[in-house]
Every structure is written in C-alpha cells, then in structure tokens.
Amino acid sequence: MLDFLLLAAPGAVLVAAMIGLARPGRLSRGGVRLIEALAVASLVFAVVAAVRLVAVGPMSSPVLGMAGIGVSVRLDAVSSVMLLLVSFVGWVVVRFAATYLDGEAGQGRFMAWLCLTLASVMLLVVAGNLFLLVAAWIAIGIGLTRLLLFYADRPAAQRAARKQLVFARLGDVALVGAALLLWLAYGTADIGAIVAAARAGAGGDPAVAAAIVLALAALLKSAQFPTHCWLTEVMEAPTPVSALLHAGVINAGGFLLIRFADVMLLSPAALAGLVMIGGFTALFAGLVMLTQPAVKTSLAWSTIAQMGFMIMQCGLALFSLALLHIVAHSLYKAHAFLSSGGAVDQIAVFRRPGTVAIAGPGAVGRAFVVALLIYGVIGGAVGFLGQSPQALALGAILIFGIAYLLAQGLAEAAPAALTRKLAVLATYASIGYFALHVAATWLIEGSVPPAPAPGPLEWVLIVLAVVSFGLVAVAQAMFPLWAYHPAAAGLRTHLSNGLYINALTDRMLGGWALRDTTPANRRISA
C-alpha cells in the first residue's frame, strides 16, 4: 500500500509526460485538460500519503528486490512535506504552462519534459535507497537541460544549457561517489539504515568522506558560487521553467543535505564549508540583485541568494529551518516568477510617490535597536531564546531584515502613518517567523537531528556570519546615501555584471563560440 501511494504521485505525472511525448506538437484541448487532471491526481496522492504518515508513522517499503539492494521508497516527515510541496507547485506550473504555451509548436514536447522533471523530483524525495536517489537526481538534471533548450536556436539558451549541463554532470559524479562511499561505510544502500547508523556515530573515515562529497553535490545542484551562472540565464526558456526550479529542482541540494543530516554531522569540515560558501553566495547574490534593472533577472539573483542562505542553514546544522526555508521560498518565488509580468504592468500604471524618506545613520541605529527589542520580546514569549546558539544567530540575521524595514519608517522625513504601518508589519513578520520556526521544529522532530553544541570553529563561523550579514544590512539600509557616490559607481557597475563570473565561465566553457543559428535575413547588420 505504501509503495503504491508514494509511486502513484510521480506515476501520474509520468503518464502526463507520455501524453506530451506522443503529441510533441500542439496539444488538443482534451490533451491539455488530461495533463492538468493527472497533475491534480498527483497532488491528491501526495495528500493521501501525508494523511497515512499521520495515522501510521514513518516507514519504508521495498518496490523491487530487497530494501537494501533493490529499489525502495521511504515516507517520513521530510519526504511527505517535500512531496506535498513538489506536487502542489508542479500542479500550479502545469496549469500556467498550459495557457502560456497555448498554440506553441512544441507545446507537447515542453509539457512532456516538464512532467518528466517533476516526476524525477518526486522520486528523489520519496527514495528509500541510494539507487533510486541517484537515478532520480541524474534524471532531474537531464530534464532541466532539455527544458532550457526548448528554444534551441537561441545562442543564449545554448550557453545556459551548456553551463547547466556541465555543473549538473559534475553534481551527478559527486553524488555517485558519495553513494559508493556510503555503501562502503555502512554496507547497505538503504537510506533509513544509513541514517540510523550515522546517528549512532558509526561509519568512520568513509562516512566523513561521504559527507564532504555530499556537500559538494549539494553545492553544485543548488547553484552556489561560482557555479551559479546558468541560473541567471534561465529566462531564455519559457517562464514556467523559472517557476519549476522551485518545485524541488534548484533546492534539491538542500533536500539532499537534510536527508543525510546525520551523516553531515560526522564532518565538521563539510559543515564549515557549507557555511562559508553558502553565506558568501547569499551576500554576493543579494548585493548583485540590488543592481539588476530587469525583474526576472533580479528574481534569479534572489533565488541564488536564497539558496545560499539555505545551504548556510544546513551548514549550521539547522536542518528543520532549512526545510522550512525550502517550503516558504518555493511557494513565494514560484508565484513571483509566474506573476512577474502582471506585476510589471501594475507598477507601470501606479501613481508615482512624492519625496522618499531616506534613512540616515541615526534612523538606522534606532531601527536596529527596535528590531533587537522585538527579537527579545517575541522570541522570549515563544521560547525561542532557549534554542541553540546557531538558531539564535540565524534569528538575529533575519531580524536584520526587520531592521531594514523599520529604518524606512524611522527616517526623519517619514510620515507618522508610515512609521506605524511598518512597525506593525515588522511585528507581524517577527511573530510569523518565530511561530513557523517552532512549528517546523515540532513537525520534523525525530526525522532530523538537533543542532549540536558549537565548537571553536563553529563559534567563529557563527560570529562571522552575524557580523557579515549585519554590515550588509546596514549598507543596504543606507543605500540611497552612498549609491551615487563616485566611489560607489564603479562598484555598482561591477556588481551589476556579477563580478564578471558569468563571462569568465562562458569563456572557459567555450560558450561564446556557439554557432548563431538565426537565419541570415533576421540578423541585424552593423
């Protein structure tokens, strides 16, 4: 019964993919409706599986062969949450794509690869052993490459697909290596048995090496610096692809780290690397995002920053919060990409405001004091202040965002109504975060290990992360004061080009040498 429920969700979208492959051109109205109905069925199966988890509890079930040798599926809080997320976002994206690509010559082909990628993600999150996990991981990369090449005659699309292909294959090799090391360390491919043994401290040097290689695979999958370049060019594919990334595709690296959280705790070096690379990626991409004039490009850089923050959470061993981040960011960002066109139209007709209040150093200082007071009062009320040092540091970093919000209302020229409104919004946002934090910790308690007591290295990384994000928050709050200073003009130019990492990657991979297949009569001569 369990294997049927967990395989029925990806099975439904696999059938939808077969419909698209059978009709790679324009789909009939009936074909589109059938694909949408199968996406809904996938969501229903995910809901039924979640209900079964509540009623029966976590379990795994072999599908082919024995659980440790063949293929098996696993149902626990982590897989259930991810399956619900992927099936829901997938259904929304399928519905949007049906309208977005209506009349497109390759509509069926696009829907087929879209559904195949969704099915692969679903198989990844329910995988009960290493064989299915690795196969699904590889299939996700293949499906995404095909979607990026939907307009295969565009040189920019070819460049994006080439970069994604290279980094995806490197991630595949890393995961295969990690799987072999885990097999060597524990003598089984069953994920439940591996996690249980790792929680008991078993595994030795092969398990430590596996944790390092797992971290590498996650970094490559989730577009961490400097492998992020392809993600900023996803706009060369239809808009539904950008939204699909947030259905467990770009954040598959985070899921991998959460699934093997007990293994990751065996290697403090791997966790430290995740904190440093994830934290730098978050800061770097966040600054670049501020300089982007195009809304979708800005959203893409925002996704890179958020994935960096997710990786940093895993490095701090805050795996329950990383799962919460995956869910919240996926829902928000998928909606942001799908509604970006309408948002641009609304902004275009919006009445321009008058003089904008600019926060000075005094207002920024007061904002940070008020934000820390909110942190202490609300965090203390919900029992958050008794959490681990890592959780307290992460809460402080998120409160810096509240300080940025408050700074706009505490500026000298800000009207009193704006100050009150922003204070209320800041309070609500703080309450929402702390409440969700407590709920996420309770929901997956037992599925992931708690954060261990930090050692000297961890304390250094915690302090470095808090100070770095604090300085960036101050700089962002005072951005209007220094943005047009001559010294900042060059920095702004370099940041708007992403410090030229994309150009360097294109040159290294030969991306600029791709042949332009645009017909000669459509090219614009100099």
Side-chain angles (χ1 to χ4, degrees):
M1 179 63 178
L2 173 63
D3 53 347
F4 169 77
L5 283 176
L6 293 183
L7 293 178
V13 288
L14 275 176
V15 174
M18 296 302 105
I19 296 173
L21 289 175
R23 296 290 300 273
R26 296 174 181 171
L27 291 171
S28 65
R29 186 178 299 273
V32 171
R33 288 179 176 175
L34 181 56
I35 290 175
E36 291 182 11
L38 288 167
V40 173
S42 177
L43 176 58
V44 171
F45 286 126
V47 172
V48 174
V51 173
R52 181 174 176 81
L53 172 66
V54 174
V56 180
M59 63 186 73
S60 61
S61 174
V63 178
L64 295 173
M66 297 178 65
I69 299 177
V71 176
S72 64
V73 291
R74 177 179 175 84
L75 179 65
D76 61 7
V78 175
S79 59
S80 180
V81 169
M82 288 297 299
L83 186 61
L84 285 170
L85 173 68
V86 174
S87 59
F88 175 73
V89 175
W91 166 59
V92 173
V93 173
V94 167
R95 278 185 58 92
F96 184 89
T99 302
Y100 186 89
L101 292 165
D102 187 27
E104 186 79 35
Q107 182 185 18
R109 172 168 54 91
F110 180 88
M111 297 298 284
W113 283 111
L114 174 69
C115 292
L116 283 171
T117 306
L118 275 173
S120 301
V121 178
M122 292 180 189
L123 288 173
L124 176 76
V125 301
V126 302
N129 68 7
L130 298 176
F131 298 113
L132 183 57
L133 183 85
V134 171
W137 180 277
I138 295 173
I140 292 171
I142 294 173
L144 182 56
T145 303
R146 300 309 306 171
L147 289 170
L148 291 176
L149 287 172
F150 180 70
Y151 298 118
D153 59 336
R154 297 181 180 179
Q158 297 172 32
R159 284 197 298 270
R162 172 176 291 197
K163 284 178 283 194
Q164 185 272 334
L165 176 65
V166 169
F167 295 131
R169 294 294 80 79
L170 290 174
D172 296 343
V173 171
L175 185 60
V176 170
L180 292 175
L181 287 168
L182 289 171
W183 180 285
L184 178 64
Y186 298 105
T188 179
D190 184 71
I191 293 176
I194 291 172
V195 170
R199 186 166 297 189
D205 291 339
V208 173
I212 295 173
V213 184
L214 282 170
L216 177 61
L219 293 172
L220 289 164
K221 197 71 165 183
S222 293
Q224 296 300 281
F225 182 93
T227 67
H228 62 278
C229 306
W230 65 270
L231 186 54
T232 63
E233 296 179 340
V234 171
M235 286 69 66
E236 292 299 326
T239 297
V241 177
S242 299
L244 174 69
L245 289 176
H246 301 86
V249 177
I250 191 64
N251 39 35
F255 168 78
L256 181 71
L257 297 174
I258 295 169
R259 173 55 77 208
F260 292 100
D262 293 279
V263 177
M264 298 306 301
L265 292 182
L266 298 177
S267 175
L271 295 178
L274 292 173
V275 173
M276 290 186 286
I277 296 175
F280 177 80
T281 301
L283 293 172
F284 162 71
L287 290 173
V288 174
M289 178 194 69
L290 297 175
T291 66
Q292 300 303 306
V295 61
K296 288 188 178 180
T297 305
S298 179
L299 288 173
W301 280 104
S302 172
T303 293
I304 297 171
Q306 293 292 337
M307 291 302 98
F309 201 76
M310 173 197 69
I311 292 293
M312 187 182 75
Q313 288 173 315
C314 292
L316 291 172
L318 299 173
F319 298 105
S320 60
L321 291 186
L323 182 62
L324 171 62
H325 186 276
I326 289 175
V327 174
H329 175 255
S330 296
L331 295 175
Y332 152 70
K333 193 57 67 65
H335 173 267
F337 271 109
L338 296 180
S339 62
S340 57
V344 170
D345 294 337
Q346 293 175 14
I347 293 296
V349 300
F350 190 74
R351 183 175 63 86
R352 296 295 186 270
T355 303
V356 177
I358 298 177
V364 173
R366 292 192 298 273
F368 271 83
V369 172
V370 174
L372 290 174
L373 288 174
I374 292 175
Y375 183 25
V377 172
I378 299 178
V382 299
F384 181 80
L385 299 183
Q387 299 281 338
S388 66
Q390 296 94 318
L392 294 176
L394 186 68
I397 291 173
L398 293 171
I399 284 297
F400 293 154
I402 299 297
Y404 169 74
L405 181 67
L406 289 171
Q408 316 308 308
L410 294 176
E412 285 74 8
L418 177 62
T419 302
R420 290 193 298 270
K421 183 176 182 179
L422 290 179
V424 171
L425 289 175
T427 303
Y428 284 160
S430 301
I431 294 173
Y433 167 72
F434 291 123
L436 288 173
H437 180 135
V438 173
T441 303
W442 168 81
L443 178 65
I444 64 172
E445 184 179 9
S447 296
V448 296
L457 175 62
E458 287 76 17
W459 274 114
V460 170
L461 293 174
I462 288 172
V463 172
L464 181 62
V466 172
V467 171
S468 299
F469 278 89
L471 291 175
V472 170
V474 172
Q476 185 178 3
M478 300 179 65
F479 182 74
L481 295 178
W482 61 267
Y484 299 101
H485 190 279
L491 177 61
R492 185 183 181 92
T493 300
H494 298 320
L495 285 175
S496 66
N497 288 282
L499 300 184
Y500 311 102
I501 302 299
N502 197 12
L504 291 172
T505 305
D506 279 325
R507 178 164 296 186
M508 182 177 65
L509 297 179
W512 293 115
L514 292 173
R515 181 169 58 89
D516 186 355
T517 58
T518 305
N521 60 359
R522 292 176 56 190
R523 297 176 188 162
I524 301 176
S525 59

